[in-house]
Coordinates of all heavy atoms in Angstrom, one line a residue:
E319 N 0.8 -1.2 0.0 CA 0.0 0.0 0.0 C 0.9 1.3 0.0 O 0.4 2.3 -0.4 CB -0.9 0.0 1.2 CG -2.0 1.0 1.2 CD -2.9 0.9 2.4 OE1 -2.5 0.3 3.4 OE2 -4.1 1.4 2.3
N320 N 2.1 1.2 0.5 CA 3.0 2.3 0.5 C 3.3 2.8 -0.9 O 3.7 4.0 -1.1 CB 4.3 2.0 1.2 CG 4.1 1.9 2.7 OD1 3.2 2.5 3.2 ND2 5.0 1.2 3.4
G321 N 3.2 1.9 -1.9 CA 3.4 2.3 -3.3 C 4.8 2.3 -3.8 O 5.1 2.8 -4.9
N322 N 5.8 1.8 -3.0 CA 7.2 1.8 -3.5 C 7.6 0.5 -4.1 O 8.7 0.5 -4.7 CB 8.1 2.1 -2.2 CG 7.8 3.4 -1.6 OD1 7.6 4.4 -2.3 ND2 7.8 3.5 -0.3
V323 N 6.8 -0.5 -4.0 CA 7.2 -1.8 -4.6 C 6.0 -2.5 -5.2 O 4.8 -2.1 -4.9 CB 7.8 -2.8 -3.5 CG1 9.1 -2.3 -3.0 CG2 6.8 -2.9 -2.3
D324 N 6.2 -3.4 -6.1 CA 5.2 -4.2 -6.8 C 5.0 -5.6 -6.2 O 3.9 -6.1 -6.3 CB 5.5 -4.3 -8.3 CG 5.7 -2.9 -9.0 OD1 4.7 -2.3 -9.3 OD2 6.8 -2.5 -9.1
I325 N 6.1 -6.1 -5.7 CA 6.2 -7.5 -5.3 C 6.9 -7.6 -3.9 O 8.0 -7.1 -3.8 CB 6.9 -8.4 -6.3 CG1 6.2 -8.4 -7.7 CG2 7.0 -9.9 -5.8 CD1 7.0 -8.9 -8.8
V326 N 6.2 -8.2 -3.0 CA 6.8 -8.3 -1.6 C 6.7 -9.8 -1.1 O 5.6 -10.4 -1.2 CB 6.1 -7.4 -0.6 CG1 6.7 -7.6 0.8 CG2 6.2 -6.0 -1.0
G327 N 7.8 -10.3 -0.6 CA 7.8 -11.6 0.0 C 8.4 -11.6 1.4 O 8.5 -10.5 2.0
S328 N 8.7 -12.7 1.9 CA 9.3 -12.8 3.3 C 10.1 -14.1 3.4 O 10.1 -14.9 2.5 CB 8.2 -12.8 4.3 OG 7.6 -14.1 4.4
N329 N 10.8 -14.2 4.5 CA 11.4 -15.5 4.9 C 10.3 -16.5 5.2 O 9.2 -16.1 5.4 CB 12.3 -15.3 6.1 CG 13.4 -14.3 5.9 OD1 13.9 -14.1 4.8 ND2 13.9 -13.6 7.0
I330 N 10.7 -17.7 5.2 CA 9.7 -18.8 5.6 C 10.5 -19.7 6.5 O 11.7 -19.7 6.6 CB 9.1 -19.5 4.4 CG1 10.2 -20.2 3.5 CG2 8.2 -18.6 3.6 CD1 10.5 -21.6 3.8
Y331 N 9.7 -20.5 7.3 CA 10.4 -21.6 8.0 C 9.7 -22.9 7.6 O 8.6 -22.9 7.1 CB 10.3 -21.4 9.6 CG 9.0 -21.6 10.2 CD1 8.6 -22.9 10.6 CD2 8.2 -20.5 10.6 CE1 7.3 -23.1 11.2 CE2 7.0 -20.7 11.3 CZ 6.6 -22.0 11.6 OH 5.4 -22.2 12.2
E332 N 10.5 -24.0 7.7 CA 10.1 -25.2 7.2 C 9.7 -26.2 8.3 O 10.3 -26.2 9.4 CB 11.2 -25.8 6.3 CG 11.4 -25.0 5.0 CD 12.6 -25.4 4.2 OE1 13.6 -25.9 4.9 OE2 12.6 -25.3 3.0
F333 N 8.7 -27.1 8.0 CA 8.3 -28.1 9.0 C 7.9 -29.3 8.2 O 7.7 -29.3 6.9 CB 7.2 -27.6 9.9 CG 5.9 -27.5 9.1 CD1 4.9 -28.5 9.2 CD2 5.6 -26.4 8.4 CE1 3.7 -28.4 8.6 CE2 4.3 -26.2 7.7 CZ 3.4 -27.2 7.8
E334 N 7.8 -30.5 8.9 CA 7.4 -31.7 8.2 C 5.9 -32.0 8.5 O 5.1 -32.1 7.6 CB 8.3 -32.9 8.6 CG 9.6 -32.8 7.9 CD 10.5 -34.0 8.1 OE1 10.1 -34.8 9.0 OE2 11.5 -34.2 7.4
H335 N 5.6 -32.2 9.7 CA 4.2 -32.6 10.1 C 3.5 -31.6 11.0 O 2.3 -31.3 10.8 CB 4.2 -34.0 10.8 CG 4.9 -35.1 9.9 ND1 4.4 -35.5 8.7 CD2 6.1 -35.7 10.1 CE1 5.2 -36.4 8.2 NE2 6.2 -36.5 9.0
N336 N 4.2 -31.1 12.0 CA 3.6 -30.2 12.9 C 4.2 -28.8 12.7 O 5.4 -28.6 12.8 CB 4.0 -30.6 14.3 CG 3.4 -29.7 15.4 OD1 2.8 -28.7 15.1 ND2 3.5 -30.1 16.7
P337 N 3.4 -27.8 12.3 CA 4.0 -26.5 12.0 C 4.6 -25.8 13.2 O 5.3 -24.8 13.1 CB 2.7 -25.7 11.5 CG 1.5 -26.5 12.0 CD 2.0 -27.9 12.0
Q338 N 4.3 -26.3 14.4 CA 5.0 -25.7 15.6 C 6.4 -26.2 15.8 O 7.2 -25.7 16.5 CB 4.1 -26.1 16.8 CG 2.7 -25.6 16.8 CD 2.6 -24.1 16.6 OE1 3.3 -23.4 17.2 NE2 1.7 -23.7 15.8
N339 N 6.7 -27.3 15.0 CA 8.1 -27.9 15.1 C 8.9 -27.3 14.0 O 9.0 -27.9 12.9 CB 8.0 -29.4 15.1 CG 9.4 -30.0 15.3 OD1 10.3 -29.4 15.7 ND2 9.5 -31.3 14.9
R340 N 9.6 -26.2 14.2 CA 10.4 -25.6 13.1 C 11.7 -26.3 12.9 O 12.5 -26.5 13.8 CB 10.7 -24.1 13.5 CG 9.4 -23.3 13.8 CD 9.8 -21.8 14.1 NE 8.6 -21.0 14.3 CZ 8.5 -19.7 14.0 NH1 9.7 -19.1 13.6 NH2 7.4 -19.0 14.2
L341 N 11.9 -26.6 11.6 CA 13.1 -27.4 11.3 C 14.2 -26.5 10.8 O 15.4 -26.6 11.2 CB 12.8 -28.4 10.3 CG 11.8 -29.5 10.7 CD1 11.6 -30.5 9.5 CD2 12.3 -30.3 11.9
S342 N 13.9 -25.5 9.9 CA 14.9 -24.7 9.3 C 14.2 -23.4 8.7 O 13.0 -23.4 8.6 CB 15.6 -25.4 8.1 OG 14.7 -25.9 7.2
I343 N 15.1 -22.4 8.5 CA 14.6 -21.1 7.9 C 15.2 -20.9 6.5 O 16.3 -21.2 6.3 CB 15.0 -20.0 8.9 CG1 14.3 -20.1 10.2 CG2 14.6 -18.6 8.2 CD1 14.8 -19.1 11.2
K344 N 14.3 -20.5 5.6 CA 14.8 -20.1 4.3 C 14.8 -18.6 4.2 O 13.7 -18.0 4.1 CB 13.9 -20.7 3.2 CG 14.4 -20.5 1.8 CD 13.5 -21.2 0.8 CE 14.0 -20.9 -0.6 NZ 13.0 -21.5 -1.6
K345 N 16.0 -18.0 4.3 CA 16.1 -16.5 4.3 C 16.2 -16.0 2.9 O 16.8 -16.7 2.0 CB 17.3 -16.1 5.1 CG 17.0 -16.2 6.7 CD 18.2 -15.7 7.4 CE 17.9 -15.7 8.9 NZ 17.0 -14.7 9.3
M346 N 15.7 -14.8 2.6 CA 15.7 -14.2 1.3 C 16.5 -12.9 1.3 O 16.5 -12.2 2.4 CB 14.3 -14.0 0.8 CG 13.5 -15.3 0.5 SD 14.0 -16.1 -1.1 CE 15.1 -17.4 -0.5
P347 N 17.0 -12.5 0.2 CA 17.6 -11.1 0.1 C 16.5 -10.1 0.3 O 15.3 -10.4 -0.1 CB 18.2 -11.1 -1.3 CG 17.4 -12.1 -2.1 CD 17.1 -13.2 -1.1
L348 N 16.8 -9.0 0.9 CA 15.8 -8.0 1.3 C 15.5 -6.9 0.4 O 14.3 -6.6 0.2 CB 16.1 -7.5 2.7 CG 16.4 -8.5 3.8 CD1 16.7 -7.8 5.1 CD2 15.2 -9.4 4.0
T349 N 16.5 -6.3 -0.2 CA 16.3 -5.1 -1.0 C 16.1 -5.4 -2.5 O 16.5 -6.5 -2.9 CB 17.4 -4.1 -0.8 OG1 18.6 -4.7 -1.4 CG2 17.7 -3.8 0.6
H350 N 15.6 -4.5 -3.2 CA 15.5 -4.7 -4.7 C 16.8 -4.9 -5.3 O 17.0 -5.8 -6.2 CB 14.8 -3.5 -5.3 CG 14.7 -3.6 -6.8 ND1 13.7 -4.4 -7.4 CD2 15.4 -3.1 -7.8 CE1 13.8 -4.3 -8.7 NE2 14.9 -3.5 -9.0
K351 N 17.8 -4.2 -4.9 CA 19.2 -4.4 -5.5 C 19.7 -5.8 -5.2 O 20.3 -6.4 -6.1 CB 20.1 -3.3 -4.9 CG 21.5 -3.3 -5.5 CD 22.4 -2.2 -4.9 CE 23.7 -2.2 -5.6 NZ 24.6 -1.0 -5.0

């Protein structure tokens, strides 16, 4: 809504069966550059 970007994502964390049991994090680059 700020109007500065067209596409926004985030990091995620991974799990197998129970989403409360976090196994690993997949981090992403943050800036457009």
